[in-house]
Amino acid sequence: MGLNNLNKQNLSKKIKYHFPIVYLLFKPNKQMFKNIKGFRSIKKNNLFDEEFYLSNYKDVKASGMNPIIHYIIYGYKEGKDPNKDFDGVYYSHKYGDALSSKLSPLVHYSLYGLQENREYKLDKNLFPIIPYEKVVNILKKLNNNLPKNKLIENIQKHLLNSNYPINKDCKSNKKRVLYLVHEKIGSFAGTGFTTNDIIDNIQDSYECYILTSNGLELELWRKEIDHFEKLGQWDVHLSDNLSLDKNVNFSKLLYSKELMAIYFTILVNLNIDLIHINHLINHSFDISKVAEKLNIPIILSIHDFYYICPSIHLLNKNQEYCELICRENKWTCGCVNSSDEISLKNTINLWRNESLKFLNRCSLIIAPSNYSTEVYKDQYPEIKNNIKIIEHGRNLPKRLNCSLTPKNTPIKILFPGHISKHKGSLLIRKLKEIDKDNKLEFHFMGTTYPSLKQYGKNHGRYSREDFGKFVNNIKPSFIGIFSIIPETYSHTLTESWNSGVPVIATNLGALSERINKTGGGWLVDYKSPQKVYNQIIKIANNPKEYEKVVDNISKIKFKSKKEMTDEYKNVYDELTSHKEIDYNV
């Protein structure tokens, strides 16, 4: 990076930090003037704890932004808190005008809620946690030959006789589903969006609860028609440290006495009929053990490879796709900080042994693609008859035709999403270094890590509703999805096709499966940047082939949200009525 670019970056950081009002003026939107007024009110009333914010969120300090401005524009959307007491998600969902205002919760509170003495955090949990020792004692004495409802009824009677206050939260006679997610309410990404889409379409038949965890706090919410209601919050202490030790203590890593007690308390008080696990990151495997004892069926949705390898993304020590060569007894996994191959092998084998126990406790495993299904079947042959494919469905905006046939250079390529190392940031950098004649023009929307600013133009963050608008403004010839690890699905691919733009993607996982099936793009070898570069130039010089791919995209049919959720509802109905599931449908 040249000296001028460095000076520009330093100047930009100074403006962001020392002249926050100027920064807001350069970020014009409908809330701009209220944000400026709110910023001043927050400062005046001392509502923001800068030290707390910067010490808890290291990325903010690295960005150079004024921390209050960061929270106002980005932080609240990421589930960040402005101080140790203010719960922005609780405040927004407690008050409809705050949620609909599109302002950050603290700005709304500073302008309106403060004067009206509004609540900004949960005062009391819906029910106290049953002590772990009592939970263990109850589970030991259970007669789980009884049906689930009778089991729960007996436990509730026992607890009432022991002076434990049962709170059944009875709002309806609907069956009840508990969802486990690893994203906080208010900062949902792909997994959370899918969960919310399912809930929105089954609420007529099911009462829906969500248990979220960020590894520090567990939060229990009930979904109402247009908002979430918070029912409980508990501090937890989970470890995800796969250390240098030769014998990793998986009893502490994957199991937790405090979480087991919390899970049991929730399941018994709410009389949950079905558990749908969207992810167990920041949760513990205890949920499956408790559910099995209580005869509550579990659905597991697969979104990545967490239950095969704790690296999640199947990266080796060089931050490259490991290609699962551990199946050939070669051990290069980057998830464990160990130079000892025996220790590494033992750790991964222990992980898989515990994961297999968990998977076998699940009533049904749902995967979004053939590829993800086959990977899990190959790794765990014992579960092959317990996996069902339900492709993700979306209610997408009106289809667009944002593509621009590449007639002249530079060739515009857009890279959307969070472009980190495993999403191809290093491959993108190498491509631009090869591009000595500037035949390629790179554009980014979202975030990049490491920073790719010097290699193209970053158009900033976007919401999934605005994907098409961004693409239409940029008018790229191609959208690049350069993940160096296999995807299990890729919503970005769906959004790209809905924008009418051909995709160049790495020849891995569900990207390869979906592009081969539809003809909606081209596949490249991520291991050879030079080959990728040559292929892009070749494609750009063949307008007939390009137009054929554009035509292929126009014929792709996307599954709707209703089509997806109807499949989930059928599964829910079958499991809660104890019918046999047809895995081939």
Side-chain angles (χ1 to χ4, degrees):
M1 185 184 290
L3 187 61
N4 284 340
N5 281 337
L6 281 173
N7 289 336
K8 284 179 182 177
Q9 280 199 0
N10 290 333
L11 179 61
S12 175
K13 281 189 175 184
K14 287 180 180 178
I15 291 173
K16 286 178 182 179
Y17 194 89
H18 295 290
F19 303 99
I21 302 300
V22 174
Y23 183 78
L24 285 175
L25 288 169
F26 278 94
K27 286 276 184 182
N29 57 44
K30 292 178 182 177
Q31 288 81 35
M32 181 179 69
F33 292 110
K34 283 188 178 178
N35 280 338
I36 292 172
K37 189 177 178 182
F39 173 84
R40 289 171 172 154
S41 178
I42 289 167
K43 293 276 287 183
K44 177 184 175 182
N45 293 289
N46 197 28
L47 298 176
F48 191 89
D49 187 336
E50 185 171 319
E51 184 179 346
F52 168 88
Y53 199 75
L54 292 176
S55 63
N56 280 278
Y57 312 118
K58 307 297 183 187
D59 58 318
V60 180
K61 191 170 185 178
S63 74
M65 284 188 71
N66 179 287
I68 302 179
I69 296 299
H70 183 277
Y71 174 79
I72 288 173
I73 297 176
Y74 304 119
Y76 79 97
K77 298 175 185 175
E78 299 165 356
K80 290 179 167 65
D81 296 318
N83 58 56
K84 65 182 178 62
D85 294 317
F86 188 87
D87 185 340
V89 181
Y90 172 84
Y91 177 81
S92 292
H93 285 268
K94 176 80 174 172
Y95 304 104
D97 60 331
L99 191 62
S100 62
S101 72
K102 306 299 182 185
L103 293 169
S104 77
L106 195 63
V107 165
H108 190 278
Y109 177 76
S110 72
L111 297 177
Y112 311 106
L114 184 63
Q115 290 86 345
E116 298 167 12
N117 199 28
R118 294 189 183 187
E119 295 176 27
Y120 53 79
K121 64 179 180 178
L122 184 67
D123 181 50
K124 184 180 179 182
N125 289 337
L126 184 64
F127 34 68
I129 298 303
I130 303 165
Y132 171 76
E133 292 74 17
K134 191 169 187 67
V135 170
V136 172
N137 189 45
I138 292 171
L139 292 176
K140 278 181 181 177
K141 295 178 179 178
L142 272 186
N143 174 12
N144 56 353
N145 291 322
L146 295 173
K148 189 273 301 183
N149 283 341
K150 189 63 178 175
L151 273 175
I152 299 293
E153 182 185 328
N154 288 347
I155 293 169
Q156 289 179 346
K157 285 180 180 177
H158 171 76
L159 290 169
L160 285 169
N161 290 335
S162 305
N163 296 318
Y164 174 85
I166 293 291
N167 190 329
K168 298 180 182 180
D169 188 44
C170 292
K171 279 207 161 189
S172 72
N173 293 320
K174 299 174 187 173
K175 290 182 178 178
R176 297 170 167 213
V177 184
L178 176 68
Y179 295 87
L180 266 67
V181 298
H182 67 300
E183 300 161 324
K184 292 184 73 173
I185 302 291
S187 59
F188 278 167
T191 305
F193 283 139
T194 301
T195 301
N196 206 37
D197 288 343
I198 295 169
I199 290 172
D200 283 345
N201 283 268
I202 67 163
Q203 279 187 280
D204 288 345
S205 304
Y206 288 89
E207 194 81 48
C208 299
Y209 299 86
I210 297 184
L211 187 62
T212 71
S213 175
N214 62 2
L216 300 173
E217 295 173 332
L218 244 66
E219 296 181 345
L220 178 65
W221 301 78
R222 180 180 53 235
K223 184 65 163 63
E224 302 293 346
I225 291 174
D226 58 355
H227 70 282
F228 289 95
E229 182 180 352
K230 194 170 191 176
L231 304 178
Q233 177 175 316
W234 303 274
D235 293 337
V236 294
H237 306 88
L238 292 176
S239 171
D240 61 355
N241 178 33
L242 294 176
S243 67
L244 289 164
D245 297 339
K246 290 189 177 182
N247 297 304
V248 176
N249 190 340
F250 277 86
S251 63
K252 288 186 177 179
L253 184 66
L254 298 179
Y255 300 95
S256 161
K257 292 180 180 179
E258 59 181 333
L259 262 68
M260 183 177 180
I262 293 170
Y263 295 147
F264 180 84
T265 302
I266 291 170
L267 296 175
V268 167
N269 272 275
L270 299 181
N271 195 5
I272 295 297
D273 295 289
L274 175 69
I275 299 166
H276 188 161
I277 299 172
N278 269 290
H279 223 304
L280 272 189
I281 293 177
N282 299 327
H283 286 277
S284 77
F285 283 30
D286 298 285
I287 186 68
S288 63
K289 296 175 76 174
V290 176
E292 185 179 47
K293 288 282 189 181
L294 298 176
N295 289 336
I296 301 174
I298 295 178
I299 293 173
L300 171 68
S301 286
I302 289 173
H303 298 281
D304 51 41
F305 304 101
Y306 180 67
Y307 310 101
I308 293 175
C309 182
S311 70
I312 303 174
H313 303 304
L314 304 181
L315 293 173
N316 64 21
K317 292 184 182 299
N318 297 321
Q319 295 296 295
E320 300 165 340
Y321 174 37
C322 72
E323 300 185 29
L324 286 171
I325 60 172
C326 51
R327 288 179 297 189
E328 302 164 17
N329 218 25
K330 299 175 183 177
W331 302 91
T332 65
C333 185
C335 66
V336 182
N337 185 21
S338 175
S339 57
D340 182 346
E341 188 171 309
I342 295 174
S343 172
L344 183 57
K345 178 179 178 179
N346 289 341
T347 298
I348 300 303
N349 282 335
L350 281 168
W351 179 273
R352 289 180 183 163
N353 288 339
E354 294 299 326
S355 291
L356 179 57
K357 292 176 191 175
F358 162 70
L359 294 170
N360 279 330
R361 292 189 195 107
C362 295
S363 309
L364 179 65
I365 300 164
I366 294 177
S369 63
N370 282 306
Y371 171 79
S372 51
T373 302
E374 292 307 315
V375 171
Y376 272 88
K377 283 182 179 179
D378 187 45
Q379 184 61 51
Y380 301 113
E382 301 90 338
I383 65 168
K384 64 182 178 182
N385 296 321
N386 204 28
I387 301 184
K388 181 181 179 68
I389 297 174
I390 299 182
E391 184 183 357
H392 293 316
R394 294 276 298 273
N395 284 357
L396 294 159
K398 183 180 177 182
R399 290 182 87 136
L400 301 171
N401 185 9
C402 304
S403 62
L404 181 67
T405 305
K407 297 178 180 177
N408 303 301
T409 55
I411 302 158
K412 279 188 183 181
I413 303 177
L414 170 62
F415 298 96
H418 176 64
I419 313 300
S420 56
K421 287 181 181 179
H422 72 276
K423 294 290 187 179
S425 63
L426 298 183
L427 174 56
I428 292 168
R429 180 183 291 184
K430 287 175 183 176
L431 280 177
K432 203 66 187 104
E433 289 168 355
I434 291 170
D435 185 36
K436 304 294 184 186
D437 297 327
N438 291 317
K439 292 181 179 180
L440 306 181
E441 180 181 299
F442 289 170
H443 293 256
F444 307 102
M445 49 186 272
T447 54
T448 62
Y449 177 80
S451 176
L452 295 171
K453 284 183 180 178
Q454 63 175 313
Y455 300 99
K457 182 176 180 180
N458 195 319
H459 298 263
R461 307 185 193 202
Y462 64 95
S463 65
R464 69 175 184 167
E465 293 80 12
D466 291 333
F467 188 97
K469 292 178 185 177
F470 273 72
V471 177
N472 196 40
N473 288 335
I474 298 165
K475 288 283 194 302
S477 294
F478 305 99
I479 287 178
I481 306 177
F482 282 6
S483 300
I484 63 167
I485 51 100
E487 303 274 2
T488 57
Y489 185 71
S490 181
H491 285 286
T492 304
L493 181 59
T494 302
E495 292 164 333
S496 301
W497 283 339
N498 193 60
S499 300
V501 181
V503 172
I504 298 174
T506 45
N507 190 15
L508 290 167
L511 291 173
S512 175
E513 176 187 325
R514 298 180 69 196
I515 288 175
N516 279 325
K517 181 180 178 181
T518 61
W522 298 266
L523 297 168
V524 296
D525 180 5
Y526 72 97
K527 293 180 180 178
S528 175
Q530 185 64 59
K531 285 183 181 178
V532 175
Y533 181 82
N534 294 343
Q535 191 171 349
I536 292 171
I537 300 301
K538 183 180 178 181
I539 294 165
N541 288 329
N542 190 339
K544 285 187 178 179
E545 183 181 348
Y546 182 89
E547 293 300 331
K548 181 183 176 183
V549 171
V550 171
D551 184 57
N552 289 342
I553 291 170
S554 69
K555 297 172 183 174
I556 296 173
K557 183 181 182 301
F558 303 117
K559 177 178 276 190
S560 71
K561 188 192 298 184
K562 186 177 186 308
E563 288 172 324
M564 174 188 72
T565 53
D566 281 350
E567 289 188 62
Y568 275 103
K569 185 177 181 302
N570 288 338
V571 169
Y572 286 10
D573 291 346
E574 288 166 350
L575 282 174
T576 56
S577 61
H578 309 290
K579 293 179 182 177
E580 289 293 320
I581 294 174
D582 185 350
Y583 298 94
N584 297 314
V585 175

